[in-house]
Amino acid sequence: MSDRSLRGMRLGAQSMETEAGVEPAPRQRVEYRCADGEQVFVMFSTEAEIPPVWVSKTGKEALLVDGELPDTSKDKPVRTHWDMLLERRSIEELEQTLKDRLNKLRAARGEKIQA
């Protein structure tokens, strides 16, 4: 019984099948380039949709060489706190509110109130 055991074999780590007659899926090598000139090569299936931007191992964004630039027009413009405030109040209302708050602060300090 002991002469039939598989000694030194890790279960599930290695396949007992050979790769003879197995043909890998067709692939294509795609080149990306970072702004600083770093080249990034990625292998994709020939059927895969190629993304216009790829993040390299160094964390930099790389653009597809000989490809279209990504369309960033769909991105919403960044709204600041000031933009959101102006959606709710006019400049005149804000100036009046500032004046009222300053008068209240000055009154609490015992200073002379301005009209």
Side-chain angles (χ1 to χ4, degrees), residues 71-89:
D71 185 22
T72 58
S73 63
K74 290 185 261 181
D75 297 340
K76 292 168 92 175
V78 178
R79 285 178 39 194
T80 62
H81 294 291
W82 180 248
D83 294 334
M84 290 185 264
L85 183 63
L86 289 179
E87 290 175 4
R88 298 188 308 268
R89 307 269 193 272

Side-chain angles (χ1 to χ4, degrees), residues 5-88:
S5 66
L6 295 174
R7 299 179 76 177
M9 190 68 182
R10 290 170 274 167
L11 292 176
Q14 297 170 341
S15 173
M16 300 300 284
E17 294 183 27
T18 64
E19 293 185 11
V22 176
E23 193 170 320
R27 299 180 292 171
Q28 60 181 331
R29 184 177 183 203
V30 179
E31 180 183 358
Y32 290 90
R33 192 166 292 139
C34 295
D36 63 356
E38 177 186 353
Q39 290 179 323
V40 179
F41 296 98
V42 184
M43 297 299 287
F44 287 101
S45 168
T46 55
E47 300 170 357
E49 184 177 327
I50 308 299
V53 178
W54 189 263
V55 178
S56 69
K57 290 180 181 178
T58 57
K60 298 180 242 173
E61 274 194 355
L63 295 174
L64 181 63
V65 174
D66 298 331
E68 296 178 14
L69 292 176
D71 185 22
T72 58
S73 63
K74 290 185 261 181
D75 297 340
K76 292 168 92 175
V78 178
R79 285 178 39 194
T80 62
H81 294 291
W82 180 248
D83 294 334
M84 290 185 264
L85 183 63
L86 289 179
E87 290 175 4
R88 298 188 308 268

